[in-house]
């Protein structure tokens, strides 16, 4: 697979994963896609109340969306410097995992939503932080 093809594939995955965070925002506005789809946090709702916990969820889901879309844009060379895409992707993955941990029912279905989100986030973190990949493979 060429570097250009790999780059496009990763851009599409980052972009799709980022946009997928909209699913976590929907229940805060009364749009539930399953019986368990909820804006409640198992940890924060009891402490902050429904309204604040729901608002915090909107902020966190939105942050994951923004970071992943920014990573895709940086990697694609659209409006943001290429050199920033890895930082954006790592930040997005950390925020996404934290949000999924706090708002487990924010995503409507176990598969592909929750499992897929975890796989993408862990893949981003392990690839960029532990394996130090792609380290220049995509810059060409």
């Amino acid at each position: 697979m060429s570097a250009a093809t790999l780059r496009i594939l990763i851009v599409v995955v980052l972009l799709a994963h980022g946009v997928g965070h909209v699913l976590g925002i929907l229940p805060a506005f009364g749009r539930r896609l399953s019986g368990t789809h909820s804006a409640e946090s198992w940890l924060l709702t009891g402490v902050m109340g429904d309204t604040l916990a729901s608002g915090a969820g909107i902020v966190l889901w939105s942050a994951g969306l923004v970071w992943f879309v920014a990573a895709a844009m940086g990697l694609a060379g659209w409006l943001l410097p290429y050199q920033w895409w890895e930082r954006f992707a790592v930040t997005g993955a950390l925020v996404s995992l934290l949000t999924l941990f706090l708002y487990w029912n924010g995503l409507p279905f176990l598969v592909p939503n929750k499992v897929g989100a975890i796989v993408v986030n862990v893949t981003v973190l392990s690839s960029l932080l532990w394996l130090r990949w792609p380290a220049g493979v995509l810059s060409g």
Side-chain angles (χ1 to χ4, degrees):
M1 181 179 307
S2 73
T5 303
L6 186 58
R7 180 185 242 175
I8 291 168
L9 180 64
I10 295 171
V11 166
V12 169
V13 169
L14 292 172
L15 193 58
H17 185 60
V19 172
H21 284 77
V22 168
L23 292 174
I25 298 168
L26 292 177
F29 295 101
R31 304 283 188 223
R32 295 174 190 238
L33 302 178
S34 73
T36 60
H37 197 195
S38 168
E40 292 182 11
S41 166
W42 66 272
L43 180 64
L44 302 178
T45 299
V47 176
M48 301 169 73
D50 286 339
T51 304
L52 285 176
S54 179
I58 291 169
V59 169
L60 288 169
W61 288 114
S62 297
L65 184 154
V66 168
W67 284 113
F68 273 109
V69 169
M73 290 174 62
L75 181 57
W78 302 328
L79 302 174
L80 297 169
Y82 170 82
Q83 297 80 5
W84 295 0
W85 84 268
E86 290 182 29
R87 284 176 253 165
F88 290 155
V90 167
T91 303
L94 292 172
V95 168
S96 184
L97 283 172
L98 172 66
T99 306
L100 188 56
F101 173 73
L102 292 173
Y103 295 88
W104 181 250
N105 288 326
L107 296 181
F109 308 107
L110 178 63
V111 179
N113 298 138
K114 294 173 188 173
V115 172
I118 292 168
V119 167
V120 170
N121 290 325
V122 169
T123 300
V124 165
L125 292 172
S126 61
S127 296
L128 297 176
L129 297 178
W130 182 53
L131 298 174
R132 304 307 252 156
W133 183 91
V137 171
L138 302 175
S139 61

